[in-house]
Amino acid sequence: MPAEQVVDQARRSLHAVARTPGVPKPDPLLVADGVRRSFGGVNAVDVDHLEVQKHVITALIGPNGAGKTTFFNLMTGFDRPDTGSWVFDGTPLGGVAASRVAKAGMVRTFQLTKALARMTVLENMRLGARDQPGENLFTALVKPLWAPREREITDKAMALLERFKLDAKKDDFAGSLSGGQRKLLEMARALMSDPTLVMLDEPMAGVNPALTQSLLGHITDLRDTGTTVLFVEHDMHMVRHISDWVVVMAQGQVVAEGPPGEVMADQAVIDAYLGAHHDTDLGDDALLDEGGVIDAEAEAEAEAEADTEEKKP
Amino acid sequence: MRALACLDRTVAARRAGAGLLLLLLVALTTSLVAAPARAAAAPCTPDSGTACLNITVTSPDTGPAAGVTVTVEGGGGEVSATTDATGRASVPVTEAGDYTVTVDESTLPAGTVLRDPAANAATVPVVLGRSAGRIFQVVPPGAEGGDSGPAPGATDGGTSTSPSGGATQTAPADETGESAEANAGPGTNRYAQLVLSGLVFGVLLALASLGANLIYGTTGLSNFAHGELVTLGGMTAFMAVQWWDLPLWLAIVVATLAGAVVGWLLNQLIFAPLRRRGVGITQQMIVTIGLALAGLSLFLFLYGAQPAPIVSGISARIQLGPVQISGQSLLSVGVAVVVLAAVALTLSRTRLGRATRAVSDNPALAAATGIKVESIISGVWVVSAGLASLGGVLLALYLNSTRFNFGSTLLLLMFAAITLGGLGSPLGAVVGAVVIGLVVELSTIVLPSDMRYASALVILILVLLIRPQGILGRAERIG
Amino acid sequence: MDFGQLLTNVLTEMTGPTAIAYALAAIGLNIHFGLTGLINMGQAGFMLLGAYGFAVSTIAGAPLWLAFLVAIGAAVVFALILGLPTLKLRGDYLAIVTIAAAEIVRMVGRSTALTEITGGSEGLTGNSFKSTFQDASPLPDDRWALGPVTLATNASNSWWLRIVGWTLVLLACLFVWRLVRSPWGRVLRGIREDEDAVRALGKNVYSYKLQALVLGGVFGALGGVVFVLASSVQADSLGRPVTFNTWTILLLGGAATVLGPVLGSLLFWGALVFVRGFLRGAVPADVLSVQQVEQIGWVLVGITLILLIVFRPQGILGDKKELAINAR
């Protein structure tokens, strides 16, 4: 399979890359330069230079408040930086609206899953598709103009749902799914548009441990079928297990980069995490036992945030 | 578990229903008590064969002028009528067409003349089945026409018609109600006077709108019934002074307490159960719309459409440099400033205030740290409605009278003040209200006075374009 | 009490121009709220602009089709002015801006400064702009009876207006039905659930919200035209209470359903006329005057709205299951 070869080559080429923050990559898909965003005088994100290698899985880690999600928001057009520019697949995307970023092939998911609760699973999936002429107001009025494309979309959606084992739920409201199933749905929905780069914000947060393994499998599958993955995660075991390259952020800056094994032994990284996970050896399997605790924290945090968001729609 | 939840829901729903009934009962009893004291309602009712010609003679300073003779000519006849205590005379006519209305200037109250003598003998078109109206304004000699009043186009007052028996509810359109301050007599600088009245109006508006902002801050709810709470205050004070002969200060206290009690009831009977059932904020907002609709009509039912002045008679004016201010307004502003300062201190210095701000910031976190969120919200409702009522009384004193739709006309200005200041920021609401007050008053320099509320709303929209988070609000973090 | 007469009145009102006008306005509001989740508190402003657009252009000599186009155009421009700046902001800003803008339209319309054009607070009498519409009627000038309802064929509250009005309602329902079941409607529903998610899927949320606002506003304007063709253009008769009634109608029938707004309007006006007529018949006039009966009617409307939210938030046609899912 040529796809496999491409992935293999991309992974191998990373061996030669220096382990310094902001190092250039042999085949970068996303290149960010001088991206800075401050909230009330505090620099939430202050990235001098960062490159994301094509065809591999890159993990973005760092303690809470390191600016990972804000960096995601900036890259995908959900927030505007104070300064900075970035290029995705040869296209500069600074200041481009979120929807056009997604159209360019950079699709994201959210830390708090955004399943469209009062729509069915299948409708959620169809919404992820692109090039549906019926999404234009005037074309929508004449069904024959969009019905053929709708059939293609439905077939593709069903195939993806089968892959993610959600096909039995296709007519259920997305709001009735469990937290883990919603994560799967959101990921599957993002794939409807055949993105070049998938950005996953904490794909494991709040997911039932029984689903963890299949989620990991789906993410490596993505890479193996040619999609580049960038994800934010707190679960160090997962990071160590599936990522090809790890970028560490602290206080808005990139403090370390490298393959997972090396980075997690790095003194700077351990320092960055001090206070968050005291005496733990990062990436140690012992963390798996604590994984539940971390997840519970993330869940509690997510719930608190969801509550406030509900209050202020 | 599910059964329990279900049970809880029905109980909550039943409680909410019972609460509504109770509210209605309370309102109806008050109306029965109130009924005998009311003067005879408008004697003329338009139907398919009749139209009513309502003539009002009123002074912006002293209120309605009674005992003025007006003559209506047209439709092949001539009828004379005399204005009653509310300054109104109602003449039924049975033929459509143009009628000429003339005020007998010799019967005007002593020391007054028509503001626009040229507009005497006004022509009013009459359509059968409707009411037509004409307002004549009287002023002290020397103030007629001139530059101290609003633009000449507006001086002969508005006319109003309303379809009868049809399908439309028409809010009687007295929205040009002008403050005493805005058209003070000779010896004043017009611009300074307008700035003063803008400040006064702004401070009073701040007091009235502060409560809505507190509610928004703690629960996220935009309370469309806030205007009715303001009316409630004005009407309670009107009843206290005019019907029960209480002194003004006591009336102010009674009105504030009445507001606080209603606020407590509203939360206890309606909004707390809705929150417990997890009803969305949009739905809760629609409930407040229902309350506003019911409240407005209830006030109309109870008090009729005529203005209800809390204090009759003329309040002495005090000269301060280039400006004049009436004793009533001075009293209102004094009370408002003291209360605003007290609320600000409570919010910033006391434990209770800090708890309230914690709930505004993040209810889940506040609950986790041991703050009793529900009792804080209940307290906020009490304070909010009490402040609204108090604001209603003071605004009514400043604008000379209250009316069934008094609060609902001010509702948008209050929303504008809150939004301008930044939703959920109490200090911002005060700043926003003062800006709105100044805009409303100063806009009369360039715009006809019946567009002055509109000008404030235009400013609101413009500010939102430039600074969506309001003047003092924080920019939000997205994502 | 004469129940036959009462029921005739109820029937006349249920099928009358007011119910038609409100049904059209509620269909528009349904596109805003039920479909897209936009909180438009100024639907009366769209209606009033439609009414002014139609009446003023007719008085200026425009033919019927042009007057309709002017009414629609006025709503489109109003929606763009409101939507372009606010649809990027948080949802509750739209509510405040729309309610403020509708009030501005009303205040400017009734202002003495515009008496020449809008007739100020007295408005424009029906006879000054109805002629082109009535002349377009193929019916002879007569009074026809259908069952217990006897009406003029062409004048004011006529059969002709009802035929045109209900045709408009039918077309609007078909239109909405087609759109709801299209990919376009799917995007709107996605926006209602979570606009950030839809944005992340590459849809231009801003543009869709603007389309929805314009489209719903146009139906509001058509409702306004029907409303004034039966009476006169008067700024105060299309004020804030009209918006609130439209909301009640939408929630009564069921938001996000195709026929909900129409059913809601029929029931709303039927019930209101029934209650008023019943009270007038049952309570002597010296206890409750005609105006007071009317006011009680409006108090009941407010209470109905509250009870609806408390006990049947999905309305008559809504899907309880769909509503029970808390949108997170």
Side-chain angles (χ1 to χ4, degrees):
Chain A
M1 282 279 289
E4 265 171 31
Q5 279 167 18
V6 169
V7 171
D8 241 30
Q9 202 202 332
R11 293 173 74 179
R12 249 182 290 119
S13 68
L14 280 175
H15 293 314
V17 172
R19 276 54 161 160
T20 48
V23 66
K25 307 286 185 318
D27 184 14
L29 180 63
L30 176 68
V31 182
D33 258 309
V35 176
R36 203 156 286 122
R37 174 77 165 104
S38 62
F39 292 107
V42 181
N43 276 340
V45 166
D46 187 0
V47 172
D48 281 335
H49 188 82
L50 180 67
E51 295 188 3
V52 176
Q53 169 80 345
K54 209 181 225 173
H55 295 307
V56 301
I57 298 178
T58 306
L60 187 58
I61 66 169
N64 285 333
K68 304 175 301 277
T69 297
T70 308
F71 181 71
F72 259 42
N73 286 344
L74 292 173
M75 291 298 112
T76 50
F78 278 84
D79 195 0
R80 294 273 159 104
D82 306 326
T83 59
S85 64
W86 58 99
V87 176
F88 171 74
D89 215 3
T91 323
L93 285 183
V96 170
S99 60
R100 304 223 356 240
V101 170
K103 272 187 191 148
M106 179 152 74
V107 175
R108 71 173 293 183
T109 67
F110 294 85
Q111 185 178 348
L112 300 162
T113 18
K114 292 186 184 297
L116 305 167
R118 288 182 294 171
M119 293 168 75
T120 66
V121 168
L122 187 57
E123 279 187 308
N124 262 274
M125 294 295 290
R126 284 174 175 154
L127 194 55
R130 54 167 99 190
D131 301 326
Q132 167 53 281
E135 285 178 2
N136 176 296
L137 172 56
F138 299 104
T139 322
L141 291 171
V142 189
K143 191 170 180 184
L145 291 180
W146 50 264
R149 173 69 185 145
E150 188 77 351
R151 276 192 293 279
E152 288 168 29
I153 289 172
T154 309
D155 290 345
K156 182 171 185 181
M158 284 314 295
L160 272 170
L161 284 178
E162 253 167 65
R163 188 166 132 200
F164 282 79
K165 302 211 166 44
L166 286 170
D167 46 334
K169 303 228 169 236
K170 70 182 172 70
D171 294 323
D172 291 9
F173 282 123
S176 68
L177 298 181
S178 75
Q181 288 170 327
R182 287 190 207 190
K183 287 267 176 196
L184 285 176
L185 172 60
E186 201 181 6
M187 208 186 287
R189 194 176 62 194
L191 297 181
M192 281 296 289
S193 62
D194 300 316
T196 323
L197 172 65
V198 173
M199 297 175 75
L200 307 171
D201 198 349
E202 303 206 18
M204 288 300 159
V207 174
N208 175 349
L211 269 175
T212 311
Q213 206 52 47
S214 81
L215 248 173
L216 291 182
H218 289 311
I219 295 173
T220 43
D221 272 1
L222 278 181
R223 174 194 58 195
D224 297 342
T225 49
T227 311
T228 309
V229 179
L230 174 66
F231 72 101
V232 168
E233 191 48 70
H234 278 298
D235 183 338
M236 288 307 149
H237 181 67
M238 170 185 170
V239 171
R240 194 185 162 95
H241 195 75
I242 65 164
S243 54
D244 301 309
W245 192 259
V246 176
V247 176
V248 187
M249 281 182 83
Q251 282 148 2
Q253 292 172 318
V254 176
V255 295
E257 276 191 62
E262 288 174 41
V263 162
M264 287 179 193
D266 188 334
Q267 193 54 43
V269 177
I270 297 170
D271 287 349
Y273 266 89
L274 270 181
H277 302 284
H278 293 276
D279 315 311
T280 45
D281 181 2
L282 294 169
D284 189 77
D285 280 345
L287 253 179
L288 259 191
D289 303 330
E290 277 192 354
V293 180
I294 297 172
D295 276 356
E297 273 174 20
E299 224 169 337
E301 201 181 297
E303 253 165 33
E305 273 183 51
D307 277 351
T308 25
E309 275 187 10
E310 243 169 29
K311 291 267 157 76
K312 293 169 187 169
Chain B
M1 191 60 203
R2 181 176 293 174
L4 254 179
C6 228
L7 194 68
D8 188 44
R9 185 172 294 185
T10 35
V11 168
R14 218 173 277 156
R15 273 195 207 139
L20 279 175
L21 270 181
L22 192 73
L23 265 184
L24 254 189
L25 274 181
V26 170
L28 283 176
T29 356
T30 7
S31 80
L32 285 182
V33 175
R38 282 175 51 202
C44 172
T45 311
D47 56 43
S48 56
T50 357
C52 294
L53 194 47
N54 297 322
I55 300 120
T56 307
V57 184
T58 181
S59 151
D61 293 335
T62 54
V68 180
T69 308
V70 293
T71 316
V72 174
E73 241 186 291
E78 188 179 312
V79 191
S80 284
T82 310
T83 58
D84 61 10
T86 61
R88 273 175 69 148
S90 203
V91 180
V93 294
T94 50
E95 235 174 275
D98 283 350
Y99 285 77
T100 310
V101 181
T102 318
V103 173
D104 184 350
E105 295 187 45
S106 63
T107 59
L108 289 176
T112 57
V113 294
L114 281 177
R115 173 185 275 171
D116 190 1
N120 199 6
T123 309
V124 183
V126 172
V127 182
L128 289 186
R130 284 166 186 280
S131 297
R134 175 65 64 177
I135 300 169
F136 291 94
Q137 293 202 336
V138 294
V139 288
E144 74 265 32
D147 66 351
S148 67
T155 42
D156 58 349
T159 53
S160 65
T161 57
S162 59
S164 72
T168 341
Q169 182 189 30
T170 310
D174 185 48
E175 280 160 32
T176 51
E178 283 166 41
S179 64
E181 273 18 286
N183 9 233
T188 59
N189 174 307
R190 185 181 175 212
Y191 297 99
Q193 189 66 42
L194 285 176
V195 169
L196 174 77
S197 32
L199 286 174
V200 171
F201 185 51
V203 168
L204 298 179
L205 197 64
L207 185 67
S209 55
L210 185 58
N213 206 7
L214 286 175
I215 299 240
Y216 182 85
T218 45
T219 64
L221 178 66
S222 304
N223 181 10
F224 278 78
H226 199 75
E228 274 53 52
L229 293 171
V230 171
T231 315
L232 176 82
M235 282 301 179
T236 314
F238 163 74
M239 289 192 299
V241 173
Q242 297 292 339
W243 296 355
W244 309 329
D245 289 328
L246 298 182
L248 184 58
W249 67 269
L250 194 56
I252 293 178
V253 173
V254 168
T256 311
L257 287 180
V261 169
V262 170
W264 185 79
L265 284 175
L266 283 179
N267 179 56
Q268 220 60 23
L269 301 175
I270 300 178
F271 294 101
L274 288 179
R275 278 196 303 276
R276 271 201 298 279
R277 295 168 62 194
V279 170
I281 211 72
T282 310
Q283 277 89 337
Q284 288 187 39
M285 186 181 85
I286 293 162
V287 168
T288 68
I289 291 176
L291 275 174
L293 209 57
L296 183 71
S297 310
L298 195 63
F299 284 125
L300 181 58
F301 177 80
L302 297 181
Y303 304 100
Q306 66 272 39
I310 296 178
V311 181
S312 27
I314 314 159
S315 174
R317 292 179 156 279
I318 302 154
Q319 182 90 29
L320 295 168
V323 293
Q324 284 182 351
I325 185 166
S326 74
Q328 267 184 32
S329 306
L330 208 55
L331 172 83
S332 299
V333 174
V335 175
V337 168
V338 169
V339 173
L340 279 175
V343 174
L345 276 180
T346 314
L347 278 179
S348 60
R349 296 288 162 80
T350 66
R351 216 183 133 70
L352 188 68
R354 279 197 296 274
T356 310
R357 283 186 296 147
V359 173
S360 293
D361 220 36
N362 187 338
L365 207 59
T369 51
I371 295 171
K372 291 197 178 82
V373 175
E374 271 303 313
S375 53
I376 294 283
I377 292 178
S378 172
V380 166
W381 266 99
V382 170
V383 171
S384 159
L387 287 176
S389 280
L390 177 60
V393 183
L394 301 181
L395 276 165
L397 286 175
Y398 168 69
L399 295 170
N400 283 326
S401 74
T402 177
R403 246 171 101 100
F404 77 99
N405 66 347
F406 174 67
S408 80
T409 21
L410 290 172
L411 179 74
L412 279 184
L413 290 191
M414 295 194 278
F415 274 6
I418 297 169
T419 316
L420 267 189
L423 290 170
S425 141
L427 177 63
V430 175
V431 177
V434 170
V435 171
I436 293 287
L438 286 173
V439 169
V440 164
E441 293 298 350
L442 290 175
S443 70
T444 55
I445 297 173
V446 286
L447 286 175
S449 73
D450 56 359
M451 288 224 258
R452 54 203 201 125
Y453 285 1
S455 66
L457 299 179
V458 170
I459 294 290
L460 164 73
I461 294 177
L462 288 182
V463 169
L464 280 181
L465 299 191
I466 303 159
R467 205 178 147 78
Q469 70 270 38
I471 300 171
L472 291 183
R474 288 165 299 180
E476 260 188 304
R477 190 186 147 168
I478 311 155
Chain C
M1 192 184 334
D2 182 355
F3 271 99
Q5 182 58 41
L6 179 57
L7 289 179
T8 307
N9 287 349
V10 169
L11 196 64
T12 315
E13 190 63 37
M14 272 173 94
T15 57
T18 315
I20 297 171
Y22 272 90
L24 284 169
I27 288 171
L29 193 62
N30 195 23
I31 295 177
H32 294 151
F33 178 71
L35 218 51
T36 325
L38 301 174
I39 301 180
N40 169 17
M41 283 290 155
Q43 188 68 335
F46 285 97
M47 295 171 77
L48 186 55
L49 271 178
Y52 274 133
F54 182 86
V56 171
S57 55
T58 304
I59 291 171
L64 186 61
W65 61 270
L66 185 61
F68 264 103
L69 278 187
V70 170
I72 290 170
V76 171
V77 170
F78 189 56
L80 290 178
I81 290 174
L82 289 185
L84 284 172
T86 49
L87 287 177
K88 279 188 173 156
L89 307 178
R90 228 166 52 193
D92 34 2
Y93 282 117
L94 181 69
I96 292 171
V97 168
T98 44
I99 195 173
E103 285 289 283
I104 292 174
V105 170
R106 186 179 65 84
M107 288 177 191
V108 171
R110 71 189 294 281
S111 163
T112 45
L114 289 182
T115 311
E116 298 275 300
I117 303 165
T118 62
S121 57
E122 285 164 43
L124 302 165
T125 56
N127 293 334
S128 59
F129 62 85
K130 278 177 196 164
S131 53
T132 54
F133 178 76
Q134 286 169 9
D135 291 347
S137 166
L139 309 175
D141 281 336
D142 198 356
R143 286 181 74 80
W144 288 353
L146 184 75
V149 182
T150 308
L151 292 171
T153 44
N154 294 326
S156 284
N157 181 357
S158 60
W159 289 116
W160 171 233
L161 181 56
R162 278 157 204 250
I163 291 166
V164 173
W166 283 112
T167 311
L168 276 176
V169 170
L170 184 73
L171 289 176
C173 282
L174 280 174
F175 185 75
V176 169
W177 175 82
R178 179 68 274 163
L179 285 179
V180 166
R181 277 160 187 73
S182 75
W184 186 81
R186 183 165 68 216
V187 177
L188 290 196
R189 269 177 295 141
I191 292 171
R192 179 189 70 189
E193 296 301 305
D194 191 323
E195 59 174 84
D196 278 342
V198 177
R199 205 171 277 136
L201 294 173
K203 319 290 176 204
N204 187 346
V205 168
Y206 181 57
S207 155
Y208 279 100
K209 289 206 279 191
L210 205 54
Q211 291 171 30
L213 190 68
V214 168
L215 202 58
V218 165
F219 284 118
L222 289 176
V225 173
V226 173
F227 189 86
V228 296
L229 275 175
S231 53
S232 62
V233 185
Q234 243 227 311
D236 291 327
S237 66
L238 286 168
R240 235 185 304 164
V242 175
T243 301
F244 293 169
N245 295 343
T246 312
W247 274 91
T248 311
I249 284 169
L250 177 62
L251 294 168
L252 179 67
T257 61
V258 174
L259 291 176
V262 182
L263 182 68
S265 188
L266 287 177
L267 289 180
F268 183 90
W269 290 108
L272 197 64
V273 171
F274 179 82
V275 167
R276 277 189 201 147
F278 182 79
L279 282 180
R280 245 177 255 163
V283 183
D286 49 340
V287 178
L288 285 177
S289 70
V290 177
Q291 284 102 331
Q292 284 176 319
V293 166
E294 188 158 326
Q295 287 144 19
I296 289 179
W298 290 114
V299 173
L300 289 178
V301 169
I303 293 174
T304 311
L305 185 54
I306 299 170
L307 294 180
L308 259 179
I309 297 292
V310 174
F311 294 106
R312 205 178 161 83
Q314 75 275 29
I316 294 167
L317 296 180
D319 180 357
K320 178 90 182 183
K321 202 175 72 189
E322 187 171 340
L323 207 90
I325 291 164
N326 215 343
R328 275 222 149 177

